[in-house]
Structure formats: structure tokens, C-alpha cells
Amino acid sequence: MIDLMQKIVSFTKRRGFIFPSSEIYGGFGSCYDFGSLGVEMKNNIKRAWWDEMIKKHDDIVGLDSSILMSPKVWEASGHLTAGFADELVECKKCHHRFRKDFLKKGKCPDCGGELTKARKFNLMMKTFVGPVENEAAVTYLRAETCQGIYLNFKNVLQSMRKKIPFGIAQIGKAFRNEINPRNFVYRTREFEQMEMQWFCQPKEAPKIFNYWKKERINWYLNLGIKKSNLRAREVSKDELAHYAKRAVDIEYKFPFGWKEIEGIHNRGDWDLSNHSKHSGEDLKYEGYFPHIIETSVGVDRSLFAFLCDAYTEIRGGRTKTTKAAKEVEILLNLNKSLAPIKVAVLPLVKNKPKLVKKAKDVYQMLKPQFRCQYDEVSSIGRRYRRQDEIGTIFTLTVDFESLEQNDLTIRDRDTMEQERVKIEDLIKILKKKLNEQ
Ligand code: GAP
């Protein structure tokens, strides 16, 4: 399974999904850059989540709040107190630090040295605002996006003329000074969250919690995650975050085991009552603090789960007709809406100018409509496999018949079946197949 992890790490780099940050300087502590295909896939995930929240549900509206906020926010939220800290031990010999809950034995995993007693280590990333770097100028990069939602609760309520219950959705970067970032993009210090906060009457909260738990599980299943790789785990009382009354983790079976990809939290009135107390602003609605049900998922972490789920190796290849097909073939069978490239256009051969011109014309026609690639390099079989590897849904081939008939073949990534269609009908047919009509 670890082997699979290494394969995915090298595959994502080779094919332009994910690169280590600052690589020419030897890398930089668990930060990653998303390549041309990675950013397309990330945008597709964000769009799928945003549509699910805003288009599918009544009474959810969007927000894009700032990353930097008053440091008082983090006092009120509990993040600056012991609530948002990991227990850390240090090796007395090599001085490396480890999260206590990650250690199996009571010795340093690097040098076997003796460890200090555990100390709390706060995860907030500190920075300064303005030209003077003193205590008064300290603030923090947000550790969760939802705090910006609570601060704007009244603004949104009034400006959007909402009534309880309603929700606010937000996508944005969050930062945590993780002690043990690990497992590729699973746990990093800079990541993106998609969070929705549902404000409701206290007595409605338990029912709404169950509703969102079901909705969120279905979102992954509808986007193609295999049922056997997904589960919901009730978080035990002693594991609950400082703000949570109840939590369910949606977990994915990664190559390194079952791990959380999303949290559903009943935050009670923790946030609005604490922000009321600390700011002096009355954040009650009709005399009470609304309770909050939160759904919170990492973009990077869910992208990793979607990639792991779609990554398939086929020993000996799927087609038995060409020599190259004897190698291990990779198929990335991503859901249509998540695949970074929807359509590739290939001339059958590249040394026939008429064929190349026709294929390029088709590519230019499709480019404004779909994420497309044009590829004329190497044999047609190899080019099909290159597209299968990055999850391209349809590969179109312009051949000699195309010059006579003004048509081409559409090859389906999953079935490999080919169908001849007229070029004038192409956009309509592709839209229908991609459910974009
Ligand atoms: N507002 C609630 C909250 O932030 P969380 O369980 O700490 O809850 C929610 O985080 C989600 O954010 C996680 O399920 C995960 O997908 C993502 N996430 C949290 N820390 C992360 C990290 N260090 N790297 C990548 N993703 C992370």
C-alpha cells in the first residue's frame, strides 16, 4: 500500500498534477504546488462543492472573507488557548519534535534518544501587520475559514434578508503550523477548505446534523468514490475539538489507512456566544444564539482521495493489439465533472498536412467549450494511453475518412468503444455525453 502511495506521488508529478513546493531549493516543509492538471481538477472539485451548496440547496449563500482578521477573533474562538494545540515531545539528544499521539514507543523515532515531557504547541501561524514587528502588530493566518463566516453572520443575515434557518458557504485557504505534516497533501501547513455553516434553532440542530451527514456522504458517492472506500465515524467525546458538541468524520481508505477527509460538527452556540462576549456585539437572533451545524472538507485532501480512488494500474494493458500495450497501463477513471481534461483531439498521423489541419480546426472549435488538448506526438495507441492516464473522458481521432465524410471517431475512456459522428454535431453530442446540456 505504501508502494501505491509512492506511485501516486510520482505519477502526480510526472503528469502535472502536484509538484513539491520550492523544489529547486530542496523543497519546503510540506508545501505543494498544483500543476496545470492539478489546478483544473481542484477548480472542478470546488465548482462541484459550490454548486452542491448554492445551486442544490435553498437558503445557502456564499462568502469570501479575508485570511487576516483581528487577533481577537482567535481569542474568542479558543484557538489561542489550549484548545487548538498539539501535545509535543522533544528528543533530548537530537532535539527533533514529535506529536505525542503519533508516537508508538516512548523513544525518539529518529535517534532512539530520551524524550521530554509533553508540552502544548499552538498551531496558529503568527505574522505581523504594519511596519513595526511588535506584540501589538501580531495577528495570525486563519486556521479555519469558518471564523470569517461567524463574523459576518449579521451582515449576511441583513443584506441577504435571510431568516433562520439558513447557511453560509465559503472556500478559501487556511494555515496550520502542523508538527507532523505527512502523507503528501493529506496533512500540510497551507491548505484550502470548503466550509458550510448552517444556522438553526437549537432544537433543530440534531436533526439537521443527520441530514448533512447523509448529504455529504452522498456527494462523494455521486462523484464516483467507491462505497467500500468511504465510511462515517462517530468521534468519541474525548476526541472532540474544543468547539464541538458532536462530530462525525467522513473517512476515506487511503493507502496509509482510514483517515478523515471531512468533519460534520455540531458547534452548538460556541461561536456566536463567544464572539458576542469578546466583541460586545449582540449576535443573537430573536433573543437566542442560533446553533451551528458545520460541514468542513479540505480541497487538497479530497482531491487526494479522488485521485487514489481513480488511479488504476492494468498489467499488460487493456488493448492487446499493440506492442506498447504490454507495459503496465494507468487509467485514471475520474468522474466526468472532476476530470481535468474532457476532450483530446488527435490526427491519426502527423505527417499528412490535410489531416493535421482538420484536427487543429476541430480543436479550435472545441476549445472555447471544453477543456481540450491537441496531441500529434507518437503512435495513436500511445496517445490514447497518455489521455487515459490523465483521465480524459473522450479522445477524438481525425482519420482519412474524416477528410471525405467530415466526421471523426469519439473514443470513450472507460469502454474504449469508438463511435463515428459528424463534426457539425460534435459540440451537441459532447455536451450531452458530459451532462453539460
Ligand atoms: N472548521 C472546522 C475545521 O477546520 P477540522 O477537522 O480541523 O475542522 C476540517 O478540518 C477539514 O479540513 C479536514 O477534514 C481536512 O479535510 C482539512 N484539513 C484540516 N487540516 C488540514 C491539513 N493540515 N492539511 C490538509 N487538510 C487539512
Side-chain angles (χ1 to χ4, degrees):
M1 278 319 230
I2 300 299
D3 185 37
L4 174 62
M5 176 83 168
Q6 277 156 3
K7 281 181 185 165
I8 291 175
V9 172
S10 81
F11 163 76
T12 53
K13 182 172 178 218
R14 183 167 53 82
R15 296 311 315 264
F17 283 85
I18 304 172
F19 309 127
S21 164
S22 315
E23 204 180 5
I24 61 167
Y25 290 99
F28 186 68
S30 94
C31 294
Y32 291 90
D33 300 334
F34 286 79
S36 317
L37 298 189
V39 66
E40 292 293 347
M41 189 174 161
K42 233 180 167 190
N43 287 341
N44 291 343
I45 292 174
K46 289 192 268 188
R47 193 172 310 114
W49 185 88
W50 195 257
D51 283 353
E52 174 82 4
M53 291 296 166
I54 308 277
K55 277 194 190 163
K56 184 173 158 192
H57 289 93
D58 289 339
D59 291 326
I60 298 184
V61 288
L63 181 77
D64 184 14
S65 67
S66 65
I67 289 176
L68 297 175
M69 287 175 256
S70 162
K72 290 180 188 154
V73 171
W74 305 106
E75 279 167 34
S77 70
H79 283 77
L80 287 180
T81 57
F84 193 61
D86 281 339
E87 289 229 86
L88 205 67
V89 292
E90 188 172 318
C91 172
K92 289 181 180 170
K93 209 160 122 197
C94 70
H95 299 288
H96 290 171
R97 291 175 173 182
F98 307 94
R99 256 174 73 165
K100 192 180 157 215
D101 53 337
F102 282 9
L103 288 179
K104 290 204 176 68
K105 296 187 190 108
K107 293 262 179 251
C108 171
D110 289 349
C111 73
E114 199 187 329
L115 299 169
T116 60
K117 274 205 178 127
R119 270 188 304 128
K120 292 270 187 187
F121 181 86
N122 193 276
L123 300 183
M124 296 294 295
M125 290 264 197
K126 222 181 216 184
T127 188
F128 298 97
V129 285
V132 187
E133 294 192 1
N134 60 18
E135 270 309 298
V138 165
T139 193
Y140 303 87
L141 303 186
R142 66 183 175 195
E144 52 177 10
T145 58
C146 56
Q147 293 301 326
I149 294 183
Y150 310 138
L151 304 192
N152 284 292
F153 166 63
K154 283 253 148 135
N155 282 337
V156 175
L157 188 77
Q158 284 154 8
S159 62
M160 301 309 287
R161 293 186 291 127
K162 290 290 168 204
K163 285 192 166 62
I164 296 291
F166 78 103
I168 304 179
Q170 167 158 243
I171 301 177
K173 289 268 184 174
F175 303 81
R176 295 182 191 176
N177 201 3
E178 298 280 0
I179 314 304
N180 286 51
R182 56 177 60 199
N183 292 331
F184 196 35
V185 293
Y186 177 80
R187 188 186 304 282
T188 52
R189 296 196 170 106
E190 174 181 341
F191 53 96
E192 218 168 348
Q193 287 186 314
M194 305 186 281
E195 299 200 302
M196 193 283 302
Q197 314 294 310
W198 184 261
F199 300 88
C200 62
Q201 286 187 20
K203 65 173 190 322
E204 297 292 329
K207 199 172 80 201
I208 286 165
F209 185 99
N210 291 331
Y211 169 81
W212 280 108
K213 176 181 158 191
K214 214 153 118 202
E215 283 289 285
R216 295 305 302 144
I217 290 171
N218 285 337
W219 187 73
Y220 293 99
L221 297 177
N222 290 338
L223 287 174
I225 293 273
K226 294 175 195 82
K227 216 172 173 177
S228 55
N229 287 340
L230 200 71
R231 72 180 187 193
R233 185 179 70 87
E234 187 76 36
V235 175
S236 65
K237 287 265 176 277
D238 53 330
E239 276 180 283
L240 284 176
H242 61 278
Y243 51 74
K245 286 161 83 82
R246 182 187 168 195
V248 162
D249 283 349
I250 299 179
E251 295 186 332
Y252 179 75
K253 197 175 177 190
F254 284 101
F256 44 90
W258 285 100
K259 294 279 176 197
E260 171 194 344
I261 46 175
E262 170 156 355
I264 319 287
H265 306 129
N266 180 348
R267 300 180 68 122
D269 68 358
W270 168 270
D271 303 283
L272 293 182
S273 66
N274 275 310
H275 283 305
S276 273
K277 203 159 70 196
H278 282 75
S279 66
E281 194 74 27
D282 180 11
L283 296 178
K284 286 200 185 93
Y285 171 88
E286 294 181 349
Y288 68 95
F289 287 118
H291 279 206
I292 292 170
I293 301 300
E294 165 183 68
T295 71
S296 174
V297 47
V299 178
D300 324 63
R301 201 178 274 190
S302 61
L303 177 141
F304 189 19
F306 285 119
L307 276 178
C308 289
D309 218 66
Y311 182 91
T312 316
E313 283 187 350
I314 302 138
R315 219 153 275 283
R318 290 192 293 169
T319 47
K320 309 291 169 203
T321 45
T322 62
K323 237 166 86 188
K326 295 209 173 68
E327 304 156 5
V328 172
E329 240 176 65
I330 295 169
L331 171 68
L332 199 67
N333 55 1
L334 286 169
N335 180 273
K336 282 179 196 167
S337 60
L338 300 186
I341 305 293
K342 311 295 182 205
V343 186
V345 186
L346 325 174
L348 184 66
V349 288
K350 72 167 177 180
N351 54 0
K352 296 283 179 229
K354 277 191 180 160
L355 223 62
V356 167
K357 181 174 181 312
K358 193 157 191 81
K360 283 188 175 167
D361 286 349
V362 171
Y363 169 67
Q364 288 302 334
M365 177 182 88
L366 297 181
K367 224 177 100 183
Q369 306 278 345
F370 312 99
R371 283 286 177 280
C372 279
Q373 275 192 354
Y374 172 82
D375 188 6
E376 60 177 31
V377 179
S378 68
S379 76
I380 193 78
R382 255 185 206 288
R383 279 181 280 160
Y384 283 152
R385 283 194 297 283
R386 263 208 299 267
Q387 295 299 333
D388 291 345
E389 202 173 84
I390 59 169
T392 304
I393 312 290
F394 298 113
T395 312
L396 316 183
T397 306
V398 175
D399 55 20
F400 294 103
E401 212 179 311
S402 307
L403 300 177
E404 310 285 318
Q405 307 290 334
N406 199 36
D407 61 4
L408 45 66
T409 58
I410 301 185
R411 174 185 178 272
D412 180 290
R413 178 196 67 194
D414 297 331
T415 62
M416 296 193 299
E417 271 167 21
Q418 301 197 17
E419 173 190 356
R420 277 204 98 81
V421 302
K422 290 281 178 204
I423 291 177
E424 64 259 31
D425 300 330
L426 194 53
I427 292 181
K428 213 169 94 197
I429 290 171
L430 287 173
K431 281 198 170 169
K432 193 160 172 215
K433 284 181 184 286
L434 290 165
N435 306 331
E436 284 180 13
Q437 228 175 7

